[in-house]
Structures are given as C-alpha cells and as structure tokens.
Amino acid sequence: CPGGFRMWPLPGYWTPNERVGWVEPCPEPALARCLGGQNAACGRGYTGDYCAECAEGYFLRGTECVSCGANADGIFAGLILANSVFYGAFIVAAVFVKDRTLSTISRAVITVQMIRGVAKMNTEHLSPELRSVYAVFALVTMDAEFIRPGCIVSSVFPVLFWANAALLASAIAAAVIIIAFAKIVTGSHRFYRNRLTRTVVILLAMMYLSLATYVLRGGYCLPGRDDKLRLVAEPSTVCY
C-alpha cells in the first residue's frame, strides 16, 4: 500500500487501477502473467484484464502463452495440412479396413487423446521438451489448439470452443460423404450403413474429451470483485 486508498498488487495479482480498492489473483501461471506494481503490468506474452489473454505474436499452449516465432503463416498451413491428412487417412481406413483393425486404430487414438488430456491439465509442471511432445498430440486429438490460436486466428475462449465444434462437424461430414460414395460404388449398402454408424460413434468418442472440457469450462462463471460475472477459463471475458 503506497499510501491513502491506493493499492499496488504483488506479483501474481492484478487490479484495473490503484484506486479501486481491491486486487485479484491471476490465472496460472500467475507469477508469469502478472508482474504487479503500480500499473499492474503483465508479463511478456500476456495482456488484457487479469493478464488472461495472449499478446500479439503469442499463442496459448495449455495455460501458458508461448511465442509464435518466425514463419507463423507457414507453420499454420503445415499444421492444418497435417491434421487434414491424419483425419483423411482415418476416414479412408474406416471405409476399407476390417472391423478389428478399425477398433485397434480407434483405441490407439483415444489412448493418445487421454494422455494429451492429462498433460494439458498439468502443462505448467512439464519440461519444455515434454510440452512440445504433447503439443504434437493435439494433431490427433481433434483439439483446436493444434493450430496455435493467437498466431493466425484469435485465441479467445469462444473462438476455440466453436473451432472444436467445427472440427467435429467437418470430420463427420467428410465421413458421411466418403462412406456414402463407397456405398454407391460398391453396392454394399448394409456393410457401409453399419460402418457409417460406427465411424460417427468413433469420431464422437475421439472428440468427447476435448469438446466436453470446453463445454464445462464455457459454462463456469464466477462473480469478480468488479461485480461482473466472468468466465473462469478466461477472466477477461464477461459472461453476461
């Protein structure tokens, strides 16, 4: 307290200005996000209320904002291509491989998804090397974070939520089109009708963890000291 009614937050805390009479803890990693002081400065790569957003040139990886680095456009295009190739290959496999092989592939992908989900909740405790490894897993878990939101597209929570929903809808639409085409060409209506149902169920299972996490986070709001209901996942976003 520098004197009078003024308050300067300590590192890890934030306030809109020194005269409002309150400070709030910042989201993790709090000490990296909020430097405190008279102006409640944000750390490198962070900006906005509670320093909860990634600054320009940074993207969200787990709970941290990481530099996009050089050639962000090329990396973005490469990631989109890699994800498209992976899911295109999966859908083609769903058309041609045997049921047992398809089940094995599905279990492997869902296992990777579960590992990535656990790692995503503990990003701040991982070494930089492990963070890079688990970031690659996002390519096979239908999580929009694989496109490094903040480098090319917005990193705000609503954009990430709808991006994940769009990924699921696109994958299901592609599966429906490819399997319907295979059914017409081969004439195996019963086989491909059953295979379509199974493929859609598998895609929903693959997307479940990621989309369920975003749905739950998107509905969790708490009142802040400014009497505004804020999204816990992104305190800079006012819920209503």
Side-chain angles (χ1 to χ4, degrees):
C1 298
F5 193 65
R6 296 183 298 161
M7 292 184 178
W8 294 357
L10 294 172
Y13 292 81
W14 181 86
T15 185
N17 65 73
E18 63 178 3
R19 298 187 180 278
V20 296
W22 53 267
V23 297
E24 284 271 32
C26 295
E28 292 295 335
L31 294 178
R33 286 182 184 274
C34 301
L35 304 182
Q38 181 178 3
N39 298 316
C42 296
R44 178 178 295 181
Y46 299 93
T47 189
D49 292 350
Y50 299 88
C51 303
E53 301 176 16
C54 291
E56 184 177 354
Y58 288 79
F59 72 98
L60 187 66
R61 177 184 291 171
T63 59
E64 295 182 308
C65 291
V66 182
S67 175
C68 295
N71 193 26
D73 290 344
I75 293 174
F76 175 79
L79 291 172
I80 290 290
L81 177 62
N83 193 257
S84 300
V85 168
F86 174 82
Y87 278 99
F90 175 83
I91 293 171
V92 170
V95 175
F96 295 107
V97 303
K98 297 180 179 179
D99 285 346
R100 178 175 294 182
T101 304
L102 180 60
S103 297
T104 301
I105 295 173
S106 303
R107 284 195 293 267
V109 172
I110 292 173
T111 299
V112 171
Q113 180 192 53
M114 298 299 291
I115 294 172
R116 168 92 187 351
V118 172
K120 186 177 178 179
M121 293 185 288
N122 295 277
T123 305
E124 63 272 15
H125 302 301
L126 300 175
S127 67
E129 293 77 14
L130 281 177
R131 291 175 196 172
S132 298
V133 171
Y134 287 125
V136 174
F137 285 2
L139 285 169
V140 297
T141 56
M142 296 190 77
D143 188 335
E145 284 191 9
F146 81 88
I147 61 174
R148 309 200 313 168
C151 296
I152 301 297
V153 299
S154 174
S155 63
V156 296
F157 183 84
V159 172
L160 293 178
F161 173 82
W162 289 111
N164 275 278
L167 278 173
L168 175 61
S170 299
I172 291 177
V176 170
I177 292 171
I178 292 174
I179 294 178
F181 179 76
K183 182 174 66 174
I184 293 172
V185 171
T186 63
S188 302
H189 295 277
R190 182 176 180 182
F191 172 80
Y192 285 112
R193 183 172 62 249
N194 294 336
R195 183 55 65 91
L196 175 60
T197 301
R198 185 170 185 178
T199 301
V200 170
V201 169
I202 291 172
L203 288 172
L204 288 171
M206 291 167 61
M207 188 64 176
Y208 170 76
L209 182 61
S210 176
L211 195 57
T213 300
Y214 278 98
V215 168
L216 292 174
R217 291 174 64 198
Y220 186 27
C221 301
L222 290 175
R225 294 293 295 272
D226 55 1
D227 295 325
K228 294 180 180 179
L229 203 60
R230 293 182 176 271
L231 192 66
V232 174
E234 189 172 286
S236 59
T237 299
V238 177
C239 295
Y240 308 105

